Amino acid sequence: MSAFMKNKFNPIALLCVALLMIAGCTTVPQTGRSALHLVPSSQLASMSATQFGQLKQETPISRDPTYNAMVRRVGDRIAYVAGPDMPNAQWEFVVFEDDEQINAFAMSGGKVAVYTGIFKVAKTDADLAIVMGHEVAHVAAGHANERVSQQLLAAGGALVLQFGTSDMDSDQRALLMAAYGAGASFGVMLPYSRYHESEADEIGLIYAAKAGYDPRTAISFWKRMAGQSNGAPPEFLSTHPASSTRIRKLNELMPKAMQVYQNR
């Protein structure tokens, strides 16, 4: 390790990281987990509104009255129970016309997109509540903010490493940088993505139960979703947990969700 890296750069870098982490720590609703959010939520909401507006211009919007009524009906109930966790949300629910997209997503600020392809799997309001609860949970938990914050820290770490290895042999330096990149991806980014998915399952299950939908629907729904995914990568290379892992964890969460459902 170079003298510069050892004596000067490391303490400064560590101090900056410590200050950022103290200033950016927040608590995830429903689970109570501590998370690092370095980006103002209002900024993410503004960016999301712009991106969502562009998506509406570029992607056909479904006029199917059944799909739209279903999304609005379920969306309103999920938004109501998630409201305390997202007090500044400007809710908007849009059904996009794409039968090949078995997908839905939510963005910061309460923008929710549902593709018509999801109705191949989500046959009932309860099915759709599992989907929308999960996607809204990602936003309520601030997962996008946490991922951006992780990337900012990883970029800062790469910069520290780059400066600190400036006196190394170029081949050794390139190897070290490559190892750092792989470690950041497989050791931090992907596991956090899988953790975020599991956390969204947990929070979304609670939202669905609070909204009056039987949470046991999640098991059969995700089993059907698993049947739609062909050639999924190994779990350690995937941003989503394996279907068997997801279903096992949902079964573990079910007593808590059922208590919420019965006591609402």
Side-chain angles (χ1 to χ4, degrees):
M1 183 181 292
S2 69
F4 176 78
M5 179 70 171
K6 185 174 182 180
N7 298 328
K8 293 185 178 180
F9 206 88
N10 260 356
I12 295 173
L14 289 173
L15 178 60
C16 290
V17 169
L19 289 173
L20 283 171
M21 292 184 73
I22 291 171
C25 276
T26 188
T27 301
V28 176
Q30 305 300 326
T31 67
R33 179 177 65 89
S34 293
L36 183 65
H37 292 175
L38 298 178
V39 183
S41 56
S42 59
Q43 182 177 346
L44 285 179
S46 177
M47 293 168 59
S48 295
T50 300
Q51 293 170 353
F52 200 68
Q54 292 175 346
L55 181 64
K56 288 191 294 182
Q57 292 178 354
E58 297 168 359
T59 308
I61 295 176
S62 173
R63 303 300 176 190
D64 186 293
T66 301
Y67 292 162
N68 277 278
M70 188 175 179
V71 167
R72 170 55 63 183
R73 187 168 60 244
V74 174
D76 283 346
R77 290 170 68 171
I78 295 295
Y80 178 78
V81 298
D85 299 334
M86 299 173 59
N88 299 316
Q90 300 293 317
W91 295 99
E92 185 177 3
F93 303 97
V94 178
V95 182
F96 290 102
E97 189 69 48
D98 189 340
D99 291 343
E100 299 304 313
Q101 282 261 39
I102 305 176
N103 198 16
F105 67 84
M107 302 175 74
S108 298
K111 309 302 180 186
V112 183
V114 177
Y115 290 91
T116 53
I118 198 70
F119 295 103
K120 296 177 182 177
V121 186
K123 303 295 187 182
T124 66
D125 281 18
D127 290 335
L128 189 60
I130 298 300
V131 177
M132 297 182 76
H134 173 93
E135 299 304 334
V136 167
H138 276 303
V139 178
H143 289 161
N145 200 326
E146 193 170 4
R147 292 301 305 280
V148 170
S149 300
Q150 291 165 10
Q151 290 164 359
L152 288 173
L153 287 180
L159 186 62
V160 170
L161 189 62
Q162 191 171 21
F163 276 104
T165 59
S166 58
D167 59 348
M168 291 179 63
D169 173 83
S170 60
D171 290 340
Q172 290 180 329
R173 188 167 184 254
L175 184 62
L176 186 59
M177 292 298 292
Y180 172 82
S185 177
F186 296 124
V188 179
M189 300 302 185
L190 289 178
Y192 259 97
S193 294
R194 291 194 292 270
Y195 186 87
H196 286 168
E197 286 298 316
S198 295
E199 188 170 57
D201 279 348
E202 178 177 356
I203 299 172
L205 201 64
I206 298 303
Y207 285 164
K210 283 185 175 181
Y213 299 104
D214 190 334
R216 290 171 293 190
T217 303
I219 304 301
S220 57
F221 172 79
W222 286 114
K223 284 180 178 179
R224 293 198 302 276
M225 280 291 285
Q228 299 290 328
S229 58
N230 298 318
E235 182 169 5
F236 78 96
L237 290 176
S238 173
T239 58
H240 288 62
S243 297
S244 57
T245 301
R246 164 171 266 154
I247 291 169
R248 174 179 57 79
K249 289 184 176 180
L250 284 170
N251 276 314
E252 291 171 358
L253 291 166
M254 202 55 64
K256 176 184 176 181
M258 285 301 297
Q259 186 175 14
V260 171
Y261 177 62
Q262 291 164 355
N263 294 339
R264 69 189 190 282

